């Protein structure tokens, strides 16, 4: 190994050397196929443990000094450095990564302490500590984090689980989408957002779908918000043309180069947020942005700068945090087995992403999903769904039959929310719960009521 290594560990007659903080973070990461694809992963379980032991001894302040991607080369790095709150960081400034783990797990570290700390944490700090935490550690700390946001209802309150109603259609057929919306509403889903991934990213298609959802929301007084997940530039043009835009969506990543591959930068996202705020469509809050992320996006774009995929993912949360979103969603298994090979890796990544986002102060949801060529199945998704419910995930996806026929991947279904709400005693967002009770769709926030064939929502879907 090169003599320039800055961390070393001797174990069992072997010496492990790590030449940089970037290498140490990558090799301390629990095994995943994306890091192996990039040539960044530990060569053995022994080397991974050695890296984790070394990482535990790194002072947190080191992440303020040793930047993984140079300040002058990357606007995400500049954002992280320039917005760091030193006063908020002070309570943990003297800790190592291992000491920070212990601090997070203390009884005394409650939701108020974590909320106050969030502006003082950098993505690299939270990624580092996640790498030395067990699954139960990630669940326990995330459970203690409370992030509340609002637009037409209030999300993230204790004892609540919201659902994004995702009524995608392979041809954007309005009747097919309307039928799926009604189906989801009758299952008590849709309080996070009624959000459509359009098959066609065009302004006319976007306007048609936005007006469809807006009509349903207005006709029945549904306290929720809409979003059509077109590119941010398409949504900006729709706003200019007077379309009823509630939330502005964009996929984001953790490096400037990866965001450039998505056709966005920080200035464009700021413009989009200002445009959405100017419409004043929220009734109980003004969080107007919706972001989606996923481990492997920077690597797939050739824009990871030699940084492991989980740390790149955490850096995407710094971008999201800048714009005070209503929703952030890690689409954890969507990119495929090249990045997260099997159910075990998907479960671990989902818990990591949720933990890191919550610790940074974000309203995290998870699309609990996999592609059909991954070594995973619906039992793995049931396990991750349950673990995230225990961890206090703000929201999950609701998709007809758990099978997205437009995007071609497997996720969670409308009825999965009823399993989780019943098992863990959770309810929808309070304003949405009141509407469901008024419409006699549910009772007690969780129990579905029989719906007659002439229910007003069904009649509307058939028009």
């Amino acid at each position: 190994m090169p003599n320039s290594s800055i961390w070393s560990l001797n174990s069992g007659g072997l010496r492990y050397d790590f030449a940089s903080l970037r290498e140490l973070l990558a090799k301390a990461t629990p095994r995943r196929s994306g890091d192996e694809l990039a040539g960044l992963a530990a060569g053995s379980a022994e080397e991974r443990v050695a890296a984790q032991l070394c990482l535990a001894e790194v002072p947190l302040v080191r992440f303020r000094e040793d930047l993984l991607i140079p300040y002058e080369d990357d606007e995400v790095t500049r954002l992280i450095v320039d917005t760091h709150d030193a006063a908020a960081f002070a309570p943990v400034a003297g800790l190592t990564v291992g000491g920070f783990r212990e601090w997070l797990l203390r009884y005394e570290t409650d939701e108020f302490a974590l909320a106050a700390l969030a502006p003082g944490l950098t993505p690299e700090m939270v990624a580092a500590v996640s790498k030395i935490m067990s699954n139960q550690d990630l669940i326990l700390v995330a459970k203690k984090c409370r992030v509340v946001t609002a637009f037409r209802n209030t999300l993230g309150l204790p004892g609540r689980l919201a659902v994004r109603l995702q009524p995608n259609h392979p041809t954007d057929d309005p009747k097919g989408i309307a039928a799926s919306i009604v189906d989801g509403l009758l299952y008590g889903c849709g309080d996070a957002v009624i959000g459509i991934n359009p098959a066609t990213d065009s302004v006319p298609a976007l306007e048609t779908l936005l007006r469809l959802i807006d009509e349903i929301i207005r006709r029945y007084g549904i306290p929720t918000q809409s979003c059509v997940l077109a590119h941010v530039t398409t949504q900006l043009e729709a706003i200019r043309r007077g379309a009823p835009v509630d939330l502005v969506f964009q996929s984001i990543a953790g490096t400037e180069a990866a965001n450039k591959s998505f056709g966005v930068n920080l200035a464009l996202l700021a413009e989009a947020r200002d445009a959405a705020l100017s419409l004043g469509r929220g009734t109980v809050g003004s969080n107007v942005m919706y972001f989606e992320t996923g481990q492997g996006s920077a690597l797939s774009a050739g824009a990871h700068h030699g940084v492991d995929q989980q740390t790149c993912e955490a850096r995407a949360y710094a971008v999201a945090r800048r714009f005070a979103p209503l929703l952030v969603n890690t689409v954890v298994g969507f990119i495929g087995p090249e990045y997260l090979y099997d159910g075990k890796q998907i479960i671990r990544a989902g818990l990591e992403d949720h933990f890191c986002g919550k610790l940074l102060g974000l309203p995290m949801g998870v699309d609990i999903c996999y592609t059909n060529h991954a070594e995973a199945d619906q039992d793995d998704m049931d396990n991750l769904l349950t673990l995230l419910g225990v961890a206090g995930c703000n929201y999950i996806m609701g998709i007809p039959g758990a099978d997205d026929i437009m995007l071609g991947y497997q996720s969670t279904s409308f009825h999965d929310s009823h399993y989780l709400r019943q098992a863990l005693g959770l309810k929808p967002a309070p304003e949405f719960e009141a509407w469901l009770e008024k419409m006699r769709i549910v009772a007690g926030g969780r129990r579905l009521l029989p719906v007659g064939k002439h229910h007003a929502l069904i009649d509307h879907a058939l028009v």
Side-chain angles (χ1 to χ4, degrees), residues 40-356:
L40 303 175
S44 65
E46 291 82 2
E47 185 181 22
R48 182 173 300 110
V49 171
Q52 291 170 340
L53 289 170
C54 288
L55 181 60
E57 298 302 317
V58 176
L60 288 180
V61 293
R62 183 66 181 262
F63 295 97
R64 294 278 295 132
E65 304 160 355
D66 192 347
L67 304 179
L68 303 185
I69 303 173
Y71 183 91
E72 60 274 13
D73 294 345
D74 185 87
E75 70 170 358
V76 178
T77 297
R78 294 193 289 275
L79 173 68
I80 293 167
V81 171
D82 295 346
T83 60
H84 182 253
D85 187 331
F89 179 56
V92 298
L95 300 180
T96 63
V97 172
F100 183 38
R101 172 187 173 272
E102 294 173 2
W103 186 90
L104 290 170
L105 293 170
R106 295 189 316 168
Y107 289 111
E108 297 81 7
T109 303
D110 58 17
E111 66 178 278
F112 304 105
L114 292 170
L117 178 65
L121 296 176
T122 70
E124 292 84 358
M125 293 173 189
V126 301
V129 75
S130 75
K131 295 174 191 298
I132 65 167
M133 297 178 82
S134 66
N135 284 5
Q136 66 180 242
D137 291 345
L138 298 174
I139 292 167
L140 177 58
V141 175
K143 178 73 170 181
K144 295 196 289 184
C145 295
R146 181 68 52 202
V147 183
V148 178
T149 57
F151 187 76
R152 288 202 191 95
N153 57 31
T154 309
L155 303 172
L157 293 168
R160 304 283 174 172
L161 173 74
V163 183
R164 170 187 162 186
L165 201 171
Q166 184 170 310
N168 296 344
H169 192 280
T171 64
D172 287 341
D173 178 69
K175 288 188 176 181
I177 288 171
S180 290
I181 291 174
V182 170
D183 188 23
L185 290 171
L186 292 175
Y187 271 101
C189 299
D191 45 347
V193 64
I194 300 175
I196 304 169
N197 297 88
T200 303
D201 194 321
S202 70
V203 175
L206 176 63
E207 289 181 310
T208 297
L209 297 177
L210 284 169
R211 296 189 191 285
L212 168 66
I213 311 175
D214 187 59
E215 179 189 354
I216 294 173
I217 288 175
R218 286 189 297 105
R219 178 177 293 193
Y220 297 105
I222 308 172
T224 191
Q225 38 282 330
S226 68
C227 187
V228 177
L229 285 68
H231 191 268
V232 65
T233 53
T234 309
Q235 295 168 86
L236 274 169
E237 181 58 28
I239 290 174
R240 295 185 187 106
R241 290 169 52 156
V245 174
D246 289 343
L247 306 184
V248 172
F249 164 82
Q250 182 55 48
S251 293
I252 55 173
T255 71
E256 179 180 349
N259 284 323
K260 184 177 180 180
S261 76
F262 290 152
V264 300
N265 55 36
L266 299 179
L268 180 60
L269 295 176
E271 179 187 353
R273 180 170 183 263
D274 288 344
L277 286 170
S278 73
L279 301 179
R281 293 176 60 83
T283 56
V284 297
S286 58
N287 299 110
V288 295
M289 301 299 286
Y290 176 14
F291 295 116
E292 286 190 351
T293 67
Q295 287 193 30
S297 57
L299 173 58
S300 68
H304 59 96
H305 296 270
V307 177
D308 69 89
Q309 69 179 36
Q310 190 252 335
T311 302
C312 281
E313 170 72 5
R315 283 170 55 94
Y317 303 152
V319 177
R321 182 168 63 175
R322 167 67 179 81
F323 301 102
L326 180 76
L327 307 165
V328 179
N329 171 37
T330 170
V331 192
V332 65
F334 182 74
I335 303 182
E338 299 85 359
Y339 307 95
L340 294 169
Y341 179 72
D342 56 15
K344 182 179 179 67
Q345 292 188 13
I346 291 171
I347 289 170
R348 173 69 191 191
L351 295 177
E352 289 169 348
D353 294 351
H354 179 253
F355 162 86
C356 288

